[in-house]
Amino acid sequence: MKVLITLAVALASVAPALSTAVWGQCGFLAMKGIGFSGDTTCDAGSACVKVNDYYSQCQPGAATPTTTSPAPAPTGCSGTRTKFKFFGVNESGGEFGNNVIPGQLGKDYTWPSPTSIDFFMGQGFNTFRIPFLMERVSPPSTGGLTGPFNSTYLSGLKQIVSYITGKGGFAVVDPHNFMIYNGQTISSTSTFQSWWQTLANEFKTDENVIFDLMNEPHDIPAQTVANLMQAAINGVRASGATSQLILVEGTSYTGAWTWTTSGNSQAFANIKDPNNNLAIQMHQYLDSDGSGTSPTCVSSTIGAERLQAATQWLQQTGFKGFLGEIGAGNNTQCITAIEGALCEMQQAGGAWIGALWWAAGPWWGDYFQSIEPPSGPAVAAILPALKEFL
């Protein structure tokens, strides 16, 4: 269930070149990925399928090497649609066990499995959000947010990020802290800016890294959050990370359905990136209180309804939107609501550039929104619905 990346890499380096197991990376004739020098054949019963110019994958059931075909157009989503540039899943694990600091790898927290990344890339998805804890990368015991990074934890984060981007995917680095560090609300813009400048420096040469400045601030005035986000933007760019997309989040758990009523729409109206590569990240769940804790959706139309005001705000202001979390039950009503939400987004003339399902990750077990392959509860019903919008 848990994959130690360093061990997997070490074993791969000494393994004989035989054939690649299902869902593994392969290369076959013209479909050998750019920069890939590994096995070129797949185990019996699977064949090498080109996903993009950098990545081909052994997928079951294909008799001959082929390329992926587009999913059918979504039922009931007519008209002109703008596809997402960034589409994928959250890959949880690094933020688990947040009451145990620093925590032990494999006991209190884990990192996403490379085979999960391989699976989703094979399905056509390209973006993966990697939650982590600030207290683990910047331990309170060694200086906190102004102290040195924990090299072991940072290395684990960097390994999974490099795994994703090395295959042509996009990795969203996400401090999953709700604007709270070590039990206290983060309030210093200078500290937050400096912390982000230091962290972004670790990833500044990787253009496929996306900086998500903070997960779901809450119970903080919207303007305070906007000021902190602006400071973090300045810190990222000061690090030399000038080409990567930056995602900012608002207060009230950055809910799309409350974006125009929580103060976020006013506070973020003047947020600026000197490099003009910024998007507003919002989250949306479809249960009664928008928390994502119930598999029951309000209605089959609630997805589109909860996004409409935010979509109009994006269109009016010219900002781009990024739905960093969407989740719901895997029943018929919820699936229809999810499809309605994604249709609303893709019919908005490019106002929304990305969407990520919450969530995959190796430790979710029977959590109803888990889309962790091969048998997470949401795989059978939710995955086909999402693929309609690739």
Side-chain angles (χ1 to χ4, degrees), residues 272-297:
K272 295 185 184 301
D273 171 23
N275 295 78
N276 295 315
N277 196 11
L278 170 76
I280 308 292
Q281 182 177 164
M282 304 182 200
H283 296 170
Q284 192 60 65
Y285 295 92
L286 308 183
D287 50 354
S288 61
D289 62 359
S291 66
T293 57
S294 169
T296 301
C297 291

Side-chain angles (χ1 to χ4, degrees), residues 5 27 33 100 105 117 124 144 179 205-206 208 273 278 304 323 352 378 383:
I5 299 171
V100 183
L105 178 64
I117 305 301
M179 204 60 85
T205 61
D206 192 336
N208 278 25
D273 171 23
L278 170 76
L323 199 65
W352 295 93
L383 183 62

